[in-house]
Structures are given as C-alpha cells and as structure tokens.
Amino acid sequence: SSRSTALENSSLPFSQSKSQVQGDLTYSDDSGFSFSYPKDVKVSDETPNDDAYYTILLLTKGSEKITITIKDAKSDDKTYDSSSLVGAITLGGISAKQYSQAGKLLTIASDQGVSYLIEGPKDGGFWEDTQNVVASSFTFSGTTNPNSASGSQDNTVYEEEEVIE
C-alpha cells in the first residue's frame, strides 16, 4: 500500500542523509599541509620534542577528540591486525584506508617514508563526519597532481587542488 511506502521512506537511515558537519575553518601546518574542520572544534598542536614526529594535532570538542599524527614511518610499530577495514579514502592524493578498532575510526596512509594517522571516535555521527571532512579536505602545500594516481584515476579532476595562473 502507499501508506507503508510513505512510512518506509520517512525512516531512512542517517547514513543516507546529508552530513551536517561542514569544513568551516582551515588549519595550515608548518609541515606543509592543511585541512578543513568544523568551527565548533578546537585545534591544538601537541607535537612532542621527538624527531620521529612531524606533527601531532588534537581536534577537541567537549571531552571527545580526534588525533592527527604524522611521523616517520620507520618509528611506526602499531599493527592493525585486530581492526576491521571499513573503507578507503584519499588523504591529499595519497591512498588511505579506514579501519574500525575498539570503538575508534582510524584513517591510515603512508607515503615516502611518512605515516599519517587520523584517529577518533566511531560514533556514527559528528566525529566520524568530522574525520571524513578532515581527511577529504587534506592537502599538501604546492601539490597540484597527486603522484599516487593510478591508471584508472587519470581522468579524475582534483578541483580543490587546481592551480590557476
């Protein structure tokens, strides 16, 4: 009946609705990368005085946080064997994988000896959307063409990285 169809359509899962999380502000790091993030999130630099780390940033709102860690890949000894692969994304043109592990969402990429890890709550809402905004808007300074584009991606247009002279 048309009544049951209307009821089914009104109860679509949240994943099919448009995310309310927007990249309102842009953070630019001295290490040569930038990303967008929501205006109600605070970004703080927590990079230790350790040559293995290039950057550690915390994105916080209340008691929850996302951690962005960029470090020398040789010092990366974590294994993600107990993690479940949940998706793939690109981080500034670098192929990245997303894993679910113990209530956390991890976005992991590695390129030219550098390891990139974005780690935050797997909440099915604000924090996952925020992590996806950060990852999808992540760019490297001076990068116009990602080196990691495969043959099947040659026709892809990266508008946000386009340089007009």
Side-chain angles (χ1 to χ4, degrees):
S1 74
S2 62
R3 184 176 160 182
S4 67
T5 303
L7 183 59
E8 289 171 22
N9 289 341
S10 68
S11 60
L12 291 174
F14 288 114
S15 63
Q16 292 182 8
S17 66
K18 183 84 173 135
S19 167
Q20 297 300 310
V21 176
Q22 301 293 321
D24 303 309
L25 303 172
T26 300
Y27 177 86
S28 294
D29 193 85
D30 294 339
S31 299
F33 66 88
S34 63
F35 58 85
S36 298
Y37 64 97
K39 64 181 176 257
D40 49 353
V41 170
K42 179 183 175 229
V43 179
S44 59
D45 189 333
E46 302 292 327
T47 308
N49 191 10
D50 179 339
D51 290 342
Y53 291 90
Y54 300 112
T55 300
I56 295 181
L57 299 174
L58 297 182
L59 283 69
T60 55
K61 178 182 173 188
S63 63
E64 297 285 350
K65 70 181 178 201
I66 288 176
T67 305
I68 300 173
T69 305
I70 302 174
K71 63 181 184 172
D72 188 333
K74 293 181 208 98
S75 66
D76 195 6
D77 54 4
K78 277 190 175 181
T79 60
Y80 300 99
D81 295 337
S82 62
S83 306
S84 301
L85 182 63
V86 294
I89 194 167
T90 58
L91 199 63
I94 301 169
S95 294
K97 291 184 177 164
Q98 291 188 311
Y99 296 93
S100 173
Q101 181 183 48
K104 293 183 178 181
L105 179 65
L106 310 170
T107 301
I108 303 166
S110 183
D111 187 54
Q112 298 178 4
V114 179
S115 159
Y116 303 86
L117 171 64
I118 304 174
E119 182 177 356
K122 182 157 179 49
D123 63 354
F126 177 80
W127 286 106
E128 282 186 56
D129 290 345
T130 298
Q131 187 167 149
N132 287 325
V133 164
V134 168
S136 65
S137 66
F138 203 94
T139 56
F140 295 99
S141 302
T143 303
T144 55
N145 243 346
N147 293 335
S148 58
S150 70
S152 63
Q153 294 174 325
D154 286 344
N155 294 330
T156 303
V157 177
Y158 295 93
E159 291 180 1
E160 62 195 27
E161 299 176 7
E162 187 173 353
V163 176
I164 301 171
E165 295 179 350

